[in-house]
Amino acid sequence: MSDEEEDYMSDKFLAGAAEVRPSLIHNRAKKRQLMVETKQKEHIKKQRESKAQSSPTVSNEKLQEALSKPLETDNKGFKLLAKMGYKPGQALGKVVEKEKPEKVAGGQPRLLEPIGITIKSDRQGLGRESALRELMEKQIELRKQRLQKEIGATTIEAFRKRATERAEERFVTTSLRRCQQTCQNLDVENHIETPDMPWFWPDVPKDQDETNAESVENPDSESEDETSEEFSAAEKLEMLTNYIRTSYNFCFWCGIRYEDQQDLNENCPGLNKDDH
């Protein structure tokens, strides 16, 4: 038997025999079963195609572009509003003042446009953005305080305060390193590859040659170091503990990650080390 000829008892021949057209089958039961299986396969194929088309997430740009377009006059919702007396450019709701229909009782303006929608596409915690916002506000406040100190004359109280900060510097430096390591572990668990601030994670030891090469390749490294040195170790520790507390419900001084914000407020003694 030549290689080109197929054996009628081979697996290839038997597999091809399963795909028989319904018109060639004379048994009604088998013919019906084959038709049902064919329809099921087609139905499953259509479901997969429709799911593949609807699965991609809509980007914020496309969403905002779609929301920026006004409703067409043939829209069902627009027709219902028009029947109730709505006209384009007016606000929804009961008109309280005839002279100023865009305002309601109490002087609060009514919305002429719907509230915007923003899709959250990342895997970051819900409190992470608010924590970063609080961090930026804290940095601005510290800059203002430092500027006021530089403008005014150095007082004895400021000198004593600075001396106290230097006495506690060793403890604060050790606590800051531990807090940086904790922040790095929490960020890595939440799939964050780089810290939001260079000093959020502990410094990686490098050789002198690598440091020189990096300074040549990355000219912005000096600016990052200057930003990091702008705040003292105590100020960094305070901002970093507030960040991990707001983002991950983790109290550095307790050493515990609480279940939620309510659990943190009820069981944690306070924000600072003195409260513990």
Side-chain angles (χ1 to χ4, degrees):
M1 183 181 293
S2 61
D3 296 338
E4 296 179 357
E5 296 180 357
E6 296 182 357
D7 186 7
Y8 70 94
M9 293 299 293
S10 64
D11 295 339
K12 184 177 180 181
F13 182 81
L14 295 176
E19 300 178 358
V20 181
R21 291 179 296 176
S23 60
L24 300 178
I25 300 176
H26 300 288
N27 191 334
R28 289 187 176 182
K30 292 183 179 180
K31 185 176 181 180
R32 178 178 175 78
Q33 182 180 1
L34 183 60
M35 293 178 65
V36 170
E37 291 178 355
T38 305
K39 290 182 179 180
Q40 287 180 350
K41 291 180 181 179
E42 293 178 355
H43 182 65
I44 293 172
K45 185 178 179 180
K46 291 181 180 179
Q47 284 184 339
R48 290 178 179 176
E49 290 178 355
S50 61
K51 184 178 180 181
Q53 293 177 358
S54 60
S55 59
T57 56
V58 181
S59 62
N60 281 329
E61 296 179 358
K62 293 182 179 180
L63 179 62
Q64 298 300 334
E65 182 180 356
L67 292 176
S68 61
K69 298 179 180 179
L71 290 177
E72 299 179 356
T73 56
D74 58 347
N75 185 275
K76 292 184 179 180
F78 184 87
K79 291 180 180 179
L80 292 174
L81 292 174
K83 289 181 181 180
M84 293 184 286
Y86 171 77
K87 295 181 180 179
Q90 292 182 349
L92 297 177
K94 183 179 179 182
V95 179
V96 179
E97 300 178 5
K98 295 182 179 179
E99 297 179 356
K100 297 180 180 180
E102 73 279 1
K103 292 188 177 182
V104 297
Q108 297 296 331
R110 297 190 296 169
L111 294 177
L112 298 177
E113 297 293 337
I115 299 175
I117 300 175
T118 303
I119 296 178
K120 183 175 177 57
S121 57
D122 53 19
R123 303 180 63 183
Q124 301 176 0
L126 296 176
R128 190 165 182 268
E129 294 182 359
S130 60
L132 293 174
R133 185 165 53 252
E134 293 178 2
L135 178 64
M136 297 300 296
E137 294 176 355
K138 182 65 176 178
Q139 291 180 352
I140 294 173
E141 182 181 355
L142 291 173
R143 290 191 183 99
K144 290 181 179 179
Q145 293 178 0
R146 187 159 299 174
L147 183 61
Q148 292 177 357
K149 290 181 181 180
E150 292 177 356
I151 294 175
T154 304
T155 60
I156 298 176
E157 295 179 357
F159 177 80
R160 291 178 179 176
K161 184 178 180 180
R162 182 58 183 168
T164 304
E165 290 177 356
R166 290 181 179 178
E168 297 177 353
E169 188 175 3
R170 181 176 298 178
F171 171 79
V172 171
T173 303
T174 305
S175 300
L176 178 60
R177 291 176 182 173
R178 291 172 49 204
C179 191
Q180 288 174 338
Q181 186 64 47
T182 303
C183 180
Q184 182 179 7
N185 296 336
L186 293 172
D187 285 345
V188 171
E189 289 178 2
N190 287 269
H191 308 283
I192 298 175
E193 298 179 357
T194 56
D196 294 283
M197 293 291 176
W199 48 270
F200 270 17
W201 292 3
D203 296 332
V204 180
K206 298 180 181 179
D207 298 335
Q208 187 67 25
D209 295 338
E210 295 179 356
T211 305
N212 295 335
E214 183 180 2
S215 61
V216 174
E217 294 176 359
N218 187 9
D220 296 333
S221 59
E222 294 182 359
S223 61
E224 293 180 357
D225 294 340
E226 292 177 0
T227 305
S228 177
E229 295 299 331
E230 184 178 1
F231 305 104
S232 64
E235 293 168 349
K236 291 180 183 178
L237 180 61
E238 181 182 0
M239 289 185 287
L240 192 56
T241 52
N242 290 334
Y243 168 75
I244 61 177
R245 181 184 182 91
T246 308
S247 298
Y248 305 109
N249 296 322
F250 185 92
C251 179
F252 174 72
W253 305 114
C254 294
I256 300 174
R257 185 173 185 178
Y258 295 89
E259 296 181 357
D260 50 19
Q261 187 67 31
Q262 182 178 0
D263 186 21
L264 176 66
N265 295 333
E266 291 178 355
N267 298 317
C268 180
L271 301 174
N272 303 321
K273 176 182 176 298
D274 298 334
D275 298 330
H276 293 71

